[in-house]
Amino acid sequence: MHILVTGGAGFIGSHTVVALTKAGHKVVVADNLSNSKIETIATLEHIIGQKIEFHQVDVTEEQAVEKLFEQNKFHGVIHFAGLKAVGESVQKPLMYYMNNLISTMVVAKACVKYGVHKFVFSSSATVYGDNEAPFYEGMDLLPTTNPYGETKAMSERILMDLAKATPDFGVSLLRYFNPIGAHESGLIGELPNGVPNNLMPFVTQVASGKREQLQVFGDDYDTVDGSGVRDYIHVMDLAEGHVAAIEQLNAGTHVYNLGTGYGTSVLELIAAFEKANNIKVPYKIVDRRPGDIATCYADAKKAKNKLGWVAKRDIEQMCKDSWHFETKQLTETV
Ligand code: NAD
Ligand code: UD1
């Protein structure tokens, strides 16, 4: 298939470009580089051993997006482009609503206009809100606690309505759990701007000495050890989930959790990281982070049954690959 990957220079998009080309698909990447670097494209070309067609394009801009569709006969689109920092979305809600909703509508509109009938969307487990885990696709969604989460819930509804109204149009809403890890080469991975918000980038930066100490946000949740429980998934497993989703996409709306089905607590993750990499991660327990829920993990059966996809890489592998990426960054910046 010939696939447009918006946000393909970012963390999940870049790994998905690797998985798509490995599966024999041809990709065009469109990214405005607002949260990624142009160098990633050359690194991707090095990993996959072929050139990538890259366009520095803001996909909220209708004319620029239409031009891509005029120049290429796409079979499908994977729409990763979006802003994703939860805290920033509370400070700058309009920026989040405009970027994340308009990009989704502009790309979907171009799909309809140019007869492209496969649309895969990056949603998030955040749309489940504070439901009781395991989260399954058919459960009622609860309100999210921030504008970022709202952009995901709203985008899902917009795309569902479009699929209902457009014969042959197929939408796959992929609800990601917590992606960590990196490609086995250690050449691509997550590169957060400034202080990381998410747990694993913080852990690797503490382990490398870039930061002094990890703060564990709360040890009084009703969980195995009081710290928050999440379903961490290796980013390459997540990437392969996209390949399965687009290859099997047909008309209508299809919702899939992409998670492992297992929860790991913050303290368990720290211990696994220390063991896998034989390195200490100093931490202290602090207050809960506002907006966090106690437990979030997937019921991963639907993706297994319908797509034949399961996450294969375990927590040890995720910890090793995250650390491998961090150490490669260190040697390159020295
Ligand atoms: P990322 O920031 O690394 O990648 C997103 C990419 O989109 C970046 O390269 C950025 O430059 C680009 N982009 C943003 N707005 C754009 C625009 N208007 N036009 C063109 N490019 C634009 O983030 P990621 O972790 O790879 O996430 C990818 C998608 O998955 C996002 O939509 C995110 O909300 C969603 N998601 C991520 C997670 C996670 O934990 N990383 C979890 C659930 C959902
Ligand atoms: C966060 C977002 C969620 C988004 C997801 C993936 C919030 C409230 N939620 O989810 O919307 O989809 O990222 O981008 O921000 N933790 C620490 N110390 C840290 C960082 C995190 O103890 O320095 C804990 C958290 O309390 C949580 C776990 O680690 O229990 C995972 O946190 P994080 O990586 O930020 O992901 P989520 O909170 O699941």
Side-chain angles (χ1 to χ4, degrees), residues 6-14 30-37 57-61 79-85 99-100 103 121-126 148 151-152 174-179 189-191 198 238:
T6 76
F11 173 44
I12 306 170
S14 60
D31 198 304
N32 66 358
L33 304 178
S34 58
N35 196 36
S36 49
K37 296 198 168 76
V57 158
D58 186 323
V59 296
T60 62
E61 288 174 16
H79 179 46
F80 291 104
L83 299 172
K84 62 163 183 178
N99 191 69
N100 291 4
S103 64
F121 177 66
S122 297
S123 189
S124 167
T126 197
Y148 163 76
T151 68
K152 293 298 173 191
L174 302 182
R175 294 178 180 160
Y176 311 156
F177 283 70
N178 291 54
E190 189 170 15
L191 277 174
N198 297 115
L238 192 64

Side-chain angles (χ1 to χ4, degrees), residues 84 86-87 124-126 145-146 148-149 176-179 196-202 214-218 221 227-230 232 266 289-294 296:
K84 62 163 183 178
V86 172
S124 167
T126 197
T145 53
N146 56 74
Y148 163 76
Y176 311 156
F177 283 70
N178 291 54
N197 295 305
N198 297 115
L199 180 60
M200 185 53 99
F202 214 105
L214 173 73
Q215 297 189 328
V216 173
F217 297 140
Y221 287 108
S227 64
V229 167
R230 297 290 182 274
Y232 298 98
V266 177
R289 179 172 67 178
D292 273 356
I293 60 174
C296 168

Side-chain angles (χ1 to χ4, degrees), residues 66-317:
E66 288 209 359
K67 203 167 149 201
L68 292 175
F69 281 74
E70 270 158 24
Q71 289 169 345
N72 293 278
K73 175 80 195 86
F74 296 123
H75 300 108
V77 172
I78 308 184
H79 179 46
F80 291 104
L83 299 172
K84 62 163 183 178
V86 172
E88 186 183 54
S89 80
V90 177
Q91 305 301 321
K92 299 176 180 171
L94 270 183
M95 186 168 108
Y96 272 68
Y97 284 116
M98 289 187 75
N99 191 69
N100 291 4
L101 296 180
I102 293 175
S103 64
T104 300
M105 291 188 282
V106 163
V107 176
K109 189 177 167 200
C111 284
V112 174
K113 180 167 174 185
Y114 291 88
V116 178
H117 288 151
K118 294 178 194 295
F119 192 105
V120 175
F121 177 66
S122 297
S123 189
S124 167
T126 197
V127 300
Y128 290 110
D130 197 0
N131 259 302
E132 193 176 331
F135 299 161
Y136 60 95
E137 291 85 347
M139 80 199 307
D140 288 339
L141 303 183
L142 294 178
T144 63
T145 53
N146 56 74
Y148 163 76
E150 281 307 295
T151 68
K152 293 298 173 191
M154 288 180 190
S155 292
E156 284 200 359
R157 291 199 293 273
I158 291 167
L159 292 169
M160 268 184 221
D161 286 344
L162 185 63
K164 258 188 239 159
T166 316
D168 301 332
F169 194 70
V171 172
S172 193
L173 305 174
L174 302 182
R175 294 178 180 160
Y176 311 156
F177 283 70
N178 291 54
I180 58 171
H183 185 256
E184 60 184 6
S185 63
L187 296 174
I188 51 171
E190 189 170 15
L191 277 174
N193 278 332
V195 183
N197 295 305
N198 297 115
L199 180 60
M200 185 53 99
F202 214 105
V203 167
T204 58
Q205 292 196 7
V206 170
S208 71
K210 268 191 210 161
R211 299 188 191 279
E212 205 179 317
Q213 198 175 42
L214 173 73
Q215 297 189 328
V216 173
F217 297 140
D219 68 347
D220 56 353
Y221 287 108
D222 183 14
T223 61
V224 59
D225 54 24
S227 64
V229 167
R230 297 290 182 274
D231 185 339
Y232 298 98
I233 174 170
H234 196 294
V235 65
M236 280 311 299
D237 277 322
L238 192 64
E240 288 160 10
H242 289 73
V243 178
I246 198 153
E247 285 179 347
Q248 296 175 55
L249 185 50
N250 50 32
T253 301
H254 310 271
V255 186
Y256 295 107
N257 285 339
L258 294 184
T260 65
Y262 299 100
T264 304
S265 75
V266 177
L267 295 175
E268 286 171 341
L269 188 82
I270 296 169
F273 186 91
E274 292 186 331
K275 186 164 173 236
N277 299 308
N278 195 23
I279 191 161
K280 291 302 282 178
V281 179
Y283 69 87
K284 71 168 177 196
I285 311 283
V286 299
D287 287 346
R288 293 179 178 193
R289 179 172 67 178
D292 273 356
I293 60 174
T295 302
C296 168
Y297 61 92
D299 177 329
K301 287 196 283 294
K302 188 175 173 198
K304 182 180 180 193
N305 293 339
K306 301 262 183 196
L307 297 176
W309 170 88
V310 282
K312 298 188 202 98
R313 298 158 179 92
D314 62 12
I315 284 282
E316 186 186 356
Q317 193 65 49

